[in-house]
Amino acid sequence: DVKVTQSSRYLVKRTGEKVFLECVQDMDHENMFWYRQDPGLGLRLIYFSYDVKMKEKGDIPEGYSVSREKKERFSLILESASTNQTSMYLCASSTGTANTEAFFGQGTRLTVV
Amino acid sequence: GIQVEQSPPDLILQEGANSTLRCNFSDSVNNLQWFHQNPWGQLINLFYIPSGTKQNGRLSATTVATERYSLLYISSSQTTDSGVYFCAVYYYGQNFVFGPGTRLSVLP
């Protein structure tokens, strides 16, 4: 079974803190994604990566950065957390082929106070 | 970009009832998936179905790619079926695009 694991289920951080959300997949997938989910706004893509050390901005990259130093790990970084970044964060991975299928981690509920 | 619509936005059923959820998409795609988001927020893969029909227990799905829609059927619904159902489409070289979801509530 494909497994995508996010480092935390729940996080509470203070405004201004630097926050790291970690995601690891065990299926040698080329593609990895970070989404945030907010009520009424659905799933919005923050960043994605097609390969190690490669990253592409999604729809809402402002206030975030990412790191992909190893194929299996994709980190989302909140440089200076703000209350409007309180959200559910979802990581996904998929192969790099046309008939690819996405698999998601369990999600991280981040609260910034 | 590709637009994905889902209907209905909300659905309330009595346990044991059947339901059909619909996903429309605006352009040709390489694949389509259905997910169930459980109460803890995780997206669970239900079907990978770029075309044709698949069945898994009480759930089945049909995608008619030429007409750009997909249907998810839930038969004999149970309270554990409650949650939000998403469809997502993928076009190679693009990204996964999600619909807004259908929130299903199954009452005992």
Side-chain angles (χ1 to χ4, degrees):
Chain A
D1 276 355
V2 173
K3 192 160 186 181
V4 181
T5 304
Q6 295 182 227
S7 53
S8 304
R9 201 75 178 261
Y10 300 95
L11 270 181
V12 180
K13 295 293 182 181
R14 295 195 178 277
T15 300
E17 274 193 77
K18 190 169 186 176
V19 181
F20 293 86
L21 302 183
E22 307 286 347
C23 177
V24 177
Q25 50 94 4
D26 66 358
M27 283 301 292
D28 201 35
H29 282 172
E30 290 80 11
N31 300 341
M32 295 189 77
F33 309 85
W34 276 106
Y35 293 87
R36 67 177 280 177
Q37 184 180 21
D38 302 287
L41 296 176
L43 276 80
R44 294 180 292 169
L45 182 64
I46 305 172
Y47 268 97
F48 59 98
S49 170
Y50 287 142
D51 202 348
V52 175
K53 297 193 185 294
M54 291 184 63
K55 59 185 179 184
E56 297 287 340
K57 293 180 180 179
D59 301 319
I60 51 164
E62 296 78 19
Y64 303 95
S65 62
V66 290
S67 172
R68 193 163 180 204
E69 296 296 319
K70 293 185 178 181
K71 191 175 186 179
E72 67 270 19
R73 185 181 296 270
F74 193 35
S75 303
L76 180 69
I77 304 157
L78 286 65
E79 297 290 343
S80 178
S82 64
T83 55
N84 63 13
Q85 292 178 310
T86 292
S87 187
M88 174 67 139
Y89 290 87
L90 294 160
C91 173
S93 74
S94 73
T95 64
T97 58
N99 59 345
T100 190
E101 183 177 359
F103 295 88
F104 280 82
Q106 76 275 31
T108 298
R109 288 193 184 276
L110 172 67
T111 301
V112 183
V113 298
Chain B
I2 294 174
Q3 304 297 314
V4 181
E5 299 174 346
Q6 290 186 243
S7 59
D10 294 279
L11 187 57
I12 301 174
L13 300 173
Q14 287 295 136
E15 202 167 23
N18 302 329
S19 61
T20 301
L21 283 58
R22 186 177 179 104
C23 173
N24 293 333
F25 46 98
S26 61
D27 206 344
S28 299
V29 297
N30 289 106
N31 74 39
L32 184 143
Q33 290 182 251
W34 282 98
F35 297 89
H36 175 218
Q37 188 166 37
N38 65 24
W40 298 272
Q42 185 167 9
L43 285 166
I44 307 299
N45 291 42
L46 296 177
F47 292 102
Y48 166 80
I49 185 164
S51 63
T53 297
K54 290 186 178 180
Q55 179 149 11
N56 184 2
R58 296 181 295 104
L59 273 60
S60 64
T62 295
T63 297
V64 183
T66 53
E67 297 187 22
R68 300 178 185 165
Y69 73 89
S70 183
L71 302 173
L72 178 68
Y73 305 96
I74 305 174
S75 64
S76 304
S77 57
Q78 301 175 357
T79 55
T80 52
D81 295 331
S82 296
V84 183
Y85 290 81
F86 291 98
C87 70
V89 300
Y90 179 79
Y91 183 77
Y92 186 61
Q94 304 292 322
N95 281 298
F96 294 93
V97 178
F98 285 80
T102 292
R103 181 173 299 276
L104 175 65
S105 300
V106 181
L107 306 178

